[in-house]
Amino acid sequence: MRQLSKEESRQRWIEARNLWNTFDPIGVSDYVEDEYESYVGPSLRLLEQKGSDEELMQYLRSVLDRMGLDFREPEALRFVDQLKTWWNANWCNTSV
């Protein structure tokens, strides 16, 4: 696994945060850029560890539960697919 430079790590974080902001489960990303900041790190760790779709879905379900939101599987699946597609295209086999 290739170790990322500090600059690459920051870029990866920004890209992952942007994906969370696009998902935007509570609808505030137009007003608050860092609303989902605390979910980026755990998402990246799961991706680094080659977490399964089921593990990512479980994490997403727990996040939405903490937010007091209903879990909508089709939307969650799309987000997990976006995360994995982005990861595999850009950051697969990297770590911080």
Side-chain angles (χ1 to χ4, degrees):
M1 198 171 279
R2 183 175 73 81
Q3 189 78 21
L4 295 177
S5 69
K6 192 175 270 191
E7 181 178 304
E8 290 172 319
S9 178
R10 286 184 186 132
Q11 182 61 38
R12 188 177 77 165
W13 187 277
I14 289 166
E15 291 174 13
R17 184 180 61 207
N18 288 342
L19 287 170
W20 269 96
N21 283 340
T22 299
F23 177 52
D24 195 19
I26 58 176
V28 298
S29 70
D30 287 343
Y31 311 104
V32 184
E33 183 178 301
D34 64 352
E35 179 65 29
Y36 307 109
E37 193 82 11
S38 63
Y39 309 116
V40 173
S43 300
L44 290 173
R45 277 191 293 284
L46 279 168
L47 292 164
E48 277 183 359
Q49 297 167 356
K50 300 182 186 334
S52 67
D53 289 359
E54 293 79 24
E55 289 172 308
L56 287 162
M57 288 288 283
Q58 183 179 8
Y59 174 66
L60 193 52
R61 183 184 299 274
S62 72
V63 166
L64 295 174
D65 283 348
R66 274 183 267 151
M67 291 178 181
L69 300 174
D70 291 331
F71 181 78
R72 295 188 181 114
E73 190 166 339
E75 292 169 4
L77 282 170
R78 274 193 298 277
F79 181 56
V80 165
D81 185 54
Q82 287 174 336
L83 277 174
K84 291 190 84 170
T85 299
W86 161 77
W87 179 262
N88 290 328
N90 300 289
W91 303 104
C92 188
N93 296 318
T94 63
S95 68
V96 290

